C-alpha cells in the first residue's frame, strides 16, 4: 500500500517526467493513472507509474514512467482462453532502461532489489536508450529497471489484462491499495 501523499507525489513527479520526455497527456489520462507498488510497500525500489492511452479488446498503449533505479518486477503474460497472451513492445523515450528477459545471463547494469534474487530469474540484460525497442513474446519472464535519471517508455501491446498476469514474487498484489 501507499499513502495518499505518496500517491500524489509519485503522480506529480511522473507527469512532470512524461512532459519532459515530450509526450502530451490529457487530463483524463492523468486522472486515471496507476501508481503501482505491487503490494510490496517500497514504491521507489519496486514499482511503476502507468498512464493508459488506450486499451480496447485487442490493442493497448501505455506510457510508463520509472523513477531513478525503480524496478518493475518480473512477470510474464499468460494465455487466457483463446488469447495466447499479451504480446508487448517496450520503446524507450527518455533515460536508460535495463531490460531483462529469459536467456543467457548477461546481467551487468541492473541491480536486483535487495534479498529478492529468487524473484528475478530472468537475467538476459539489454541496456536500452531512447529510440530502442524490444518485443516480448507471451510467456517470457521479463522485468526492467530505470537508470540513474529515471526512464519514460511506451508499452504497445495486445489487450492488457495486467491484473491477471503472474509475477515471480509471490508477495506481489497487482492492485495498489491507497490509504489515508
Ligand atoms: Zn510485461
Amino acid at each position: 500500500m501507499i499513502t495518499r501523499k505518496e500517491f500524489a507525489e509519485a503522480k506529480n513527479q511522473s507527469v512532470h517526467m512524461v512532459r519532459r520526455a515530450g509526450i502530451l497527456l490529457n487530463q483524463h489520462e492523468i486522472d486515471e493513472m496507476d501508481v503501482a507498488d505491487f503490494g510490496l510497500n517500497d514504491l521507489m525500489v519496486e514499482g511503476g507509474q502507468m498512464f493508459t492511452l488506450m486499451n480496447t479488446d485487442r490493442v493497448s498503449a501505455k506510457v510508463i514512467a520509472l523513477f531513478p533505479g525503480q524496478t518493475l518486477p518480473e512477470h510474464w503474460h499468460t494465455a487466457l482462453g483463446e488469447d495466447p497472451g499479451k504480446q508487448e513492445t517496450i520503446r524507450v523515450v527518455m533515460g536508460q532502461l535495463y531490460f531483462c528477459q529469459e536467456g543467457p545471463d548477461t546481467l551487468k547494469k541492473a541491480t536486483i532489489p535487495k534479498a529478492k534474487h529468487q524473484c528475478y530469474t530472468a537475467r538476459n540484460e539489454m541496456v536500452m536508450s531512447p529510440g530502442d525497442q524490444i518485443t516480448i513474446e507471451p510467456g517470457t519472464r521479463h522485468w526492467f529497471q530505470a537508470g540513474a535519471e529515471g526512464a519514460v517508455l511506451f508499452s504497445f501491446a495486445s489487450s492488457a489484462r495486467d491484473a491477471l498476469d503472474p509475477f515471480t514474487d509471490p508477495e506481489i498484489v497487482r492492485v495498489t491499495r491507497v490509504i489515508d
Side-chain angles (χ1 to χ4, degrees):
M1 68 197 157
I2 55 175
T3 64
R4 212 159 285 285
K5 185 165 170 272
E6 278 178 306
F7 181 93
E9 280 170 9
K11 182 171 176 169
N12 282 342
Q13 207 180 328
S14 50
V15 166
H16 186 74
M17 284 172 68
V18 172
R19 279 211 186 108
R20 213 152 36 88
I23 301 169
L24 204 71
L25 294 167
N26 65 41
Q27 195 55 47
H28 178 73
E29 291 152 359
I30 293 170
D31 291 344
E32 298 294 309
M33 78 162 296
D34 187 13
V35 176
D37 79 338
F38 301 98
L40 302 173
N41 309 325
D42 202 359
L43 180 68
M44 292 298 158
V45 175
E46 291 176 288
Q49 293 65 235
M50 272 72 76
F51 300 87
T52 299
L53 307 184
M54 51 89 63
N55 187 19
T56 70
D57 291 344
R58 299 175 67 190
V59 187
S60 73
K62 294 182 181 196
V63 174
I64 302 174
L66 294 178
F67 300 134
Q70 194 182 28
T71 304
L72 197 126
E74 181 175 287
H75 64 284
W76 64 101
H77 304 290
T78 46
L80 188 73
E82 298 281 281
D83 182 351
K86 184 166 97 165
Q87 188 186 53
E88 179 180 29
T89 295
I90 297 287
R91 182 183 177 94
V92 178
V93 183
M94 191 187 81
Q96 275 210 321
L97 189 74
Y98 309 139
F99 177 89
C100 295
Q101 64 178 338
E102 290 172 42
D105 188 339
T106 57
L107 191 69
K108 209 168 162 185
K109 301 281 274 183
T111 310
I112 292 174
K114 218 172 154 209
K116 286 290 185 84
H117 276 73
Q118 74 285 4
C119 304
Y120 290 86
T121 63
R123 307 276 175 90
N124 188 247
E125 182 184 74
M126 193 168 109
V127 176
M128 299 174 71
S129 297
D132 291 342
Q133 65 181 35
I134 184 160
T135 299
I136 307 141
E137 294 304 326
T140 306
R141 287 178 196 239
H142 57 283
W143 59 280
F144 38 88
Q145 184 174 78
E149 284 153 43
V152 174
L153 27 138
F154 280 119
S155 164
F156 304 111
S158 48
S159 177
R161 296 182 194 84
D162 295 354
L164 300 174
D165 285 331
F167 285 78
T168 306
D169 187 344
E171 302 290 310
I172 283 181
V173 180
R174 181 58 190 86
V175 180
T176 306
R177 262 181 56 214
V178 180
I179 55 156
D180 285 312

